[in-house]
Amino acid sequence: MLKVGVLISGRGSNLASLIAACAAPGFPAQIVCVISNKADAKGLDHAHNANIPTHVISHSAYADKESFDAAIDAKMNEYDVQLICLAGFMRILSGWFAERWRDRLINIHPSLLPAFPGLHVHEAVLKYGAKLTGCTIHFVRAEMDHGPIILQAAVPVLADDTADTLAARVLQAEHKAYPVALRMVAENRVNVFEERVFVTDAAASGDALFNPQIS
Ligand code: GRF
């Protein structure tokens, strides 16, 4: 059983999808702790309901980013965490943290990286007029929203989308994708070679997704 620590800052719907996946019989990972940098993060309720230990490590309680990150690192080690999942964690972790947890720290981002990193992703996608967007689960490197990609899901952008409707469609894909990526990592099927991920025993659909659809 891979021991997983999850870092959140808010709503925690991805956390909820990971908790649900881990509850399934035979799932190869177990969430051993959830840490939020915000005491009022709604996502903490999902952990409480599942009897998962939670900790609030507030960034504002620390003099600098280094000591905040060190507190997270120490807490993860207390629980013998083997993999950290970022799930809507809104702080940028230090380079040394990303290095210490290299290939043991994954993130979900609501776009097809490297397109549209950062915040206000769906607004940026709509403004640009991209016809396909999606989500990405990737290993974390020091540079924000960057690192070897484990899994991506493509989602069409509809003509009448608002940032909210697009976010909701992408979120559905996120909730399917993150547990699958976690399973693949926990099954030791994910290997990083020269900063690219190779997944063993993984099939890919050869079909293209068109938007607008072609006949
Ligand atoms: C998700 O869209 C995730 O991709 C991004 O932040 C959002 C978090 O949502 N990193 P939630 O807290 O998991 O509901």
Side-chain angles (χ1 to χ4, degrees):
M1 250 331 185
L2 187 77
K3 290 184 181 177
V4 176
V6 183
L7 278 170
I8 63 167
S9 296
R11 178 180 58 183
S13 68
N14 277 290
L15 167 66
S17 79
L18 295 178
I19 290 173
C22 289
F27 196 83
Q30 174 194 12
I31 301 174
V32 293
C33 69
V34 172
I35 300 175
S36 171
N37 66 309
K38 299 216 165 182
D40 61 355
K42 282 264 165 285
L44 289 170
D45 296 342
H46 296 302
H48 293 148
N49 294 338
N51 292 316
I52 297 168
T54 63
H55 296 275
V56 173
I57 299 181
S58 170
H59 54 278
S60 49
Y62 292 84
D64 51 31
K65 192 211 256 287
E66 301 300 312
S67 48
F68 168 66
D69 290 359
I72 293 175
D73 182 54
K75 192 56 82 183
M76 292 293 182
N77 287 326
E78 247 176 61
Y79 283 90
D80 291 328
V81 164
Q82 296 166 294
L83 178 82
I84 298 177
C85 292
L86 305 183
F89 182 64
M90 300 305 282
R91 309 296 299 179
I92 295 169
L93 293 160
S94 322
W96 67 260
F97 189 100
E99 242 349 276
R100 181 165 297 179
W101 289 88
R102 192 180 181 87
D103 299 344
R104 299 184 298 141
L105 171 60
I106 66 179
N107 179 43
I108 185 159
H109 181 78
S111 76
L112 291 175
L113 291 174
F116 306 107
L119 295 174
H120 310 298
V121 172
H122 306 295
E123 286 85 347
V125 167
L126 290 173
K127 186 160 183 218
Y128 195 89
K131 298 291 181 260
L132 294 173
T133 183
C135 65
T136 303
I137 294 117
H138 64 97
F139 286 110
V140 172
R141 295 293 184 258
E143 195 185 324
M144 190 187 58
D145 295 330
H146 172 84
I149 292 171
I150 300 168
L151 188 154
Q152 292 185 305
V155 173
V157 181
L158 304 187
D160 58 355
D161 264 334
T162 62
D164 286 346
T165 60
L166 182 55
R169 191 173 315 110
V170 171
L171 200 60
Q172 285 184 6
E174 293 185 46
H175 295 163
K176 286 189 194 164
Y178 214 173
V180 172
L182 174 58
R183 173 187 277 278
M184 294 189 319
V185 172
E187 289 176 342
N188 271 321
R189 292 162 53 210
V190 175
N191 302 293
V192 183
F193 179 69
E194 293 179 347
E195 289 301 83
R196 289 167 65 195
V197 165
F198 295 86
V199 183
T200 51
D201 299 327
S205 151
D207 298 338
L209 173 60
F210 295 88
N211 183 26
Q213 226 168 28
I214 58 166
S215 50

